[in-house]
Amino acid sequence: MPTAAEDKGITAAAKSDPDAKPLTPAQLKAMVPLRSLRGRPKSENKKLLVSVRYSPEVVAYFKSTGEGWQSRMDGVLRQYVARHSRSA
């Protein structure tokens, strides 16, 4: 922590810098902790975490399609559910 004299020097240097403008009260009020901005945005359609076992061929196929293979697998299963729930 700076001493009181150092703090005054730092403040004076910042105030004399033409590029350093103090934040307005509105800007200060709009600030949020960085922790709340990190990570993926919260989804409205939350997914469940489950443990499932698939045959190696199925997993190998979807992994071979590249990044996002789990989402594609979910999409295939969703299509299956949509087709079969209509006819039920």
Side-chain angles (χ1 to χ4, degrees), residues 4-76:
E6 291 171 331
D7 191 48
K8 282 184 181 181
I10 293 169
T11 302
K15 285 184 177 180
S16 68
D17 184 351
D19 294 327
K21 297 178 183 172
L23 296 175
T24 65
Q27 290 171 319
L28 288 170
K29 188 175 181 181
M31 293 176 86
V32 294
L34 185 59
R35 263 183 267 130
S36 65
L37 299 176
R38 292 173 57 183
R40 292 180 88 159
K42 300 290 183 199
S43 173
E44 291 181 21
N45 185 14
K46 293 183 180 179
K47 296 183 178 179
L48 301 174
L49 177 63
V50 296
S51 177
V52 180
R53 294 180 185 266
Y54 293 107
S55 64
E57 305 84 37
V58 171
V59 175
Y61 169 78
F62 278 99
K63 279 188 173 183
S64 73
T65 64
E67 197 165 319
W69 67 270
Q70 292 159 316
S71 296
R72 281 188 291 284
M73 190 178 220
D74 180 62
V76 169

